[in-house]
Amino acid sequence: MSRYSVFSLLRHAATGNRGWQRAWRAATPKASYDVVIIGGGGHGLATAFYLAENHGIRNVAVVEKGYIGGGNVGRNTTVIRSNYLLDGNTQFYEFSMKLWEGMSAALNFNVMFSQRGQLVTAHSADQLDTFSHRANVMRSNGIDAEILDRDAVRKLVPYLDFSDTARFPIHGAIFQGRAGTARHDAVAWGYARAASGHGVDIIEGCEVTDFVRQGDRIVGVETTRGRIGAGRVGLAVAGHTSVLAQKAGLELPIESHLLQAFVTEPVKPLVDHVVAYGADHFYLSQSDKGGLVFGGNLDGYNSYSQRGNTGVLREVCEAAIALMPNISRLRLLRHWGGIMDMTPDASPIISLTPVDGLYLNGGWCYGGFKATPASGWCFAEMLATGETPALVRGYGLGRFRSGHMIDEAGAGPFAWLQ
Amino acid sequence: MLRIDCPCCGMRDHSEFRYGGDATVERPAHDNPDGDAWYRYVYVRANPKGLHREYWQHVLGCRQWLVVERDTVTHSIHSVSFSRRQRA
Ligand SMILES: Cc1cc2nc3c(=O)[nH]c(=O)nc-3n(C[C@H](O)[C@H](O)[C@H](O)COP(=O)(O)OP(=O)(O)OC[C@H]3O[C@@H](n4cnc5c(N)ncnc54)[C@H](O)[C@@H]3O)c2cc1C
Ligand SMILES: [Zn+2]
């Protein structure tokens, strides 16, 4: 695999850009691998890369039923932040943030990580107090956080509604300057290319239909392209975790739910930061092409269909206009949906399972894009060592039995309310 | 948009309803000391890709709790009934 550099750009430009190679090899399945990862999303591909890079395990396949980047890694609204409050989350997401900061260099692929800063508006004195608590927790964990008063928010984002008629007046905000966005497809492509360069087989158009067992142990997978043997199997299939886990005889605390995303027509630079609305579930940023990218709540009932309902569209647009009246005349270009695993505490699952040979990475809910590098890093360590890395000890399946939930939203055990 | 045929009020937009989750899970008896039974009731879900029996409450209508059988892939609704009739 040739390296990307200024010189390779110039060389290819001089020769009419006809010499570029594929970014990753189109692999055909071998009879068996040390590790088979199911799901060619960001998490599966990152896991494969770190297995090779950090642990020297290169006899690895990633099997993807569609094409890589076609799942949630290419459907999300690309927000990356580490402003979590609860122990377990705080440290994990900050570790992820640090990996984002070095990702383009580590992968030799520009993932366009843009640390434009993220703020969440507060709409009452009480809300600002809770944000101050969060900011203190973050700072005591070495994470950057600032509390802004109303004037400071107004200076930073003057286009929000600061008028007397604002439905929920802005009292202040919590701000994380190192937060931002990244080009989501590039994350899949960058990990795929770097993993492939290490010898990992990336097998697209290959759906896992069942598991192969020897006694109680899983020793491979059945796929639409034949049987593939595996020393260990890692499951990283985003919204389809229950479907595959069931084939392995595993019952999980997971429901599949649909989340939508929206993009307006492109406009001139307007929104410099990622802005989240503390009075409702709404957030937006502006893409490099100029479109405003935004999202809100789940559709609110179990779903495996990647299309959403218009009720949420209306709610999200109402919140958008309450926060930013000046975008009310913009046209929506498109919207789409992605299926996510929702857990009863909205925190992920990176866990050993009761099934020998099967390892689980799922339950990412709303926020798994920002977790991509840390999730891959830790899951690779788990697959390599068979042990739970310290950083993800809180994300084990056992927490639902023991009562050690990490419930950031405090919504109770109702997946559709998380 | 789903449309739910409420046996009380007729065909209504789903935005009039509140979702109540999986209707197949059974609450253990109040004095059941088995932790596993409670764990399964509170957390474990079959989460089928296909037909799902689920609760909806018609909050902006008759306020009845309903059991709806819905396909989680196509969203087609196969049956709607009062939930109280289903309980012995
Ligand atoms: C609309 C939307 C907005 C979001 N916004 C954000 C955000 O702003 N910030 C953030 O941090 N997170 C966000 N998320 C969440 C985030 O996108 C996901 O949590 C994360 O991307 C999931 O991990 P993944 O990338 O590996 O999943 P995916 O990319 O979905 O990968 C899973 C893959 O598994 C494959 N697969 C499934 N079944 C099989 C099978 N049987 N055999 C083989 N392959 C299979 C799928 O085809 C898929 O490609 C958002 C999600 C959505 C839907
Ligand atoms: Zn009714």
Side-chain angles (χ1 to χ4, degrees):
Chain A
M1 184 187 72
S2 63
R3 273 186 76 76
Y4 295 150
S5 67
V6 173
F7 306 107
S8 78
L9 270 180
L10 291 175
R11 196 173 64 246
H12 284 296
T15 53
N17 281 313
R18 280 186 298 269
W20 291 109
Q21 298 170 347
R22 289 183 59 102
W24 60 90
R25 288 174 296 111
T28 40
K30 292 195 281 188
S32 75
Y33 295 88
D34 293 338
V35 180
V36 168
I37 295 161
I38 310 174
H43 292 238
L45 294 164
T47 304
F49 170 70
Y50 292 118
L51 269 171
E53 175 92 354
N54 294 355
H55 305 279
I57 301 176
R58 292 167 181 227
N59 186 23
V60 173
V62 177
V63 290
E64 163 57 49
K65 72 175 171 187
Y67 57 93
I68 68 164
N72 288 349
V73 68
R75 288 169 189 268
N76 64 69
T77 43
T78 78
V79 177
I80 294 160
R81 55 186 174 81
S82 58
N83 55 355
Y84 283 78
L85 174 70
L86 300 185
D87 248 8
N89 281 342
T90 320
Q91 300 81 0
F92 174 81
Y93 285 101
E94 176 57 13
F95 179 67
S96 205
M97 180 67 86
K98 295 214 170 88
L99 290 175
W100 280 107
E101 289 174 329
M103 190 187 289
S104 293
L107 299 181
N108 180 229
F109 200 98
N110 185 2
V111 300
M112 296 162 75
F113 182 43
S114 155
Q115 290 178 289
R116 57 188 74 177
Q118 191 235 24
L119 54 89
V120 190
T121 54
H123 299 268
S124 67
D126 293 346
Q127 195 173 20
L128 200 54
D129 276 354
T130 66
F131 284 176
S132 304
H133 174 209
R134 177 183 298 252
N136 288 337
V137 169
M138 288 167 64
R139 293 173 80 138
S140 64
N141 278 282
I143 306 168
D144 64 312
E146 284 170 60
I147 291 294
L148 310 177
D149 63 16
R150 180 178 162 93
D151 287 342
V153 178
R154 189 166 199 164
K155 225 163 134 192
L156 203 62
V157 286
Y159 47 80
L160 302 187
D161 191 351
F162 289 93
S163 70
D164 293 340
T165 54
R167 177 72 185 83
F168 297 104
I170 294 169
H171 278 241
I174 182 171
F175 182 71
Q176 184 182 27
R178 285 159 65 239
T181 62
R183 172 74 203 273
H184 47 12
D185 308 293
V187 174
W189 301 335
Y191 273 118
R193 175 170 169 275
S196 177
H198 280 328
V200 170
D201 278 357
I202 290 159
I203 305 164
E204 295 174 278
C206 181
E207 178 172 359
V208 170
T209 52
D210 211 340
F211 294 93
V212 185
R213 287 160 185 277
Q214 213 166 62
D216 284 342
R217 188 177 169 81
I218 285 189
V219 293
V221 291
E222 299 285 358
T223 79
T224 49
R225 294 176 69 177
R227 176 177 291 200
I228 306 175
R232 285 179 176 163
V233 175
L235 194 60
V237 292
H240 278 76
T241 306
S242 300
V243 175
L244 278 154
Q246 203 179 29
K247 294 187 198 292
L250 254 190
E251 295 173 304
L252 296 174
I254 286 177
E255 286 184 6
S256 296
H257 285 266
L258 183 115
L259 183 64
Q260 303 187 57
F262 310 86
V263 178
T264 69
E265 60 189 323
V267 289
K268 289 193 171 163
L270 169 66
V271 181
D272 294 330
H273 308 88
V274 180
V275 181
Y277 185 27
D280 201 345
H281 196 166
F282 171 78
Y283 58 93
L284 93 168
S285 66
Q286 187 162 18
S287 81
D288 295 334
K289 282 193 284 189
L292 301 184
V293 180
F294 53 87
N297 275 315
L298 300 171
D299 273 20
Y301 44 83
N302 290 35
S303 176
Y304 282 97
S305 85
Q306 288 183 148
R307 60 197 158 88
N309 76 49
T310 50
V312 167
L313 171 64
R314 190 187 59 222
E315 283 165 26
V316 166
C317 290
E318 280 169 4
I321 293 162
L323 183 67
M324 264 180 89
N326 62 340
I327 62 172
S328 67
R329 302 291 182 86
L330 281 186
R331 277 168 294 201
L332 267 188
L333 274 195
R334 11 180 243 284
H335 71 130
W336 62 87
I339 306 299
M340 302 170 312
D341 288 346
M342 295 301 293
T343 57
D345 64 355
S347 288
I349 298 168
I350 300 182
S351 187
L352 310 174
T353 75
V355 182
D356 207 13
L358 183 68
Y359 297 77
L360 179 61
N361 177 319
W364 288 100
C365 304
Y366 284 98
F369 179 62
K370 66 176 82 68
T372 305
S375 161
W377 183 287
C378 296
F379 199 42
E381 190 178 329
M382 183 175 274
L383 283 161
T385 63
E387 313 261 321
T388 303
L391 203 56
V392 295
R393 219 159 268 156
Y395 292 159
L397 271 172
R399 73 179 186 270
F400 298 102
R401 279 179 193 276
S402 68
H404 293 90
M405 261 81 69
I406 307 181
D407 189 358
E408 282 282 334
F414 308 103
W416 67 95
L417 295 181
Q418 284 288 353
Chain B
M1 194 63 80
L2 311 178
R3 308 227 308 142
I4 297 174
D5 196 1
C6 175
C8 206
C9 315
M11 192 67 91
R12 296 300 172 98
D13 196 298
H14 89 269
S15 57
E16 290 187 9
F17 297 78
R18 174 203 291 153
Y19 187 59
D22 192 323
T24 63
V25 285
E26 290 276 344
R27 196 179 200 283
H30 194 63
D31 53 358
N32 188 332
D34 177 7
D36 189 59
W38 286 102
Y39 161 71
R40 297 180 55 78
Y41 166 67
V42 178
Y43 297 113
V44 175
R45 296 294 176 266
N47 192 22
K49 184 172 185 172
L51 221 53
H52 191 225
R53 275 165 55 82
E54 58 200 19
Y55 291 120
W56 290 80
Q57 187 191 12
H58 196 185
V59 278
L60 299 184
C62 58
R63 298 194 65 80
Q64 292 292 324
W65 278 96
L66 308 174
V67 172
V68 175
E69 265 188 306
R70 180 180 59 91
D71 190 308
T72 58
V73 182
T74 63
H75 294 321
S76 66
I77 289 176
H78 292 235
S79 74
V80 184
S81 55
F82 290 117
S83 70
R84 59 185 144 92
R85 297 253 163 83
Q86 319 237 328
R87 303 228 149 222

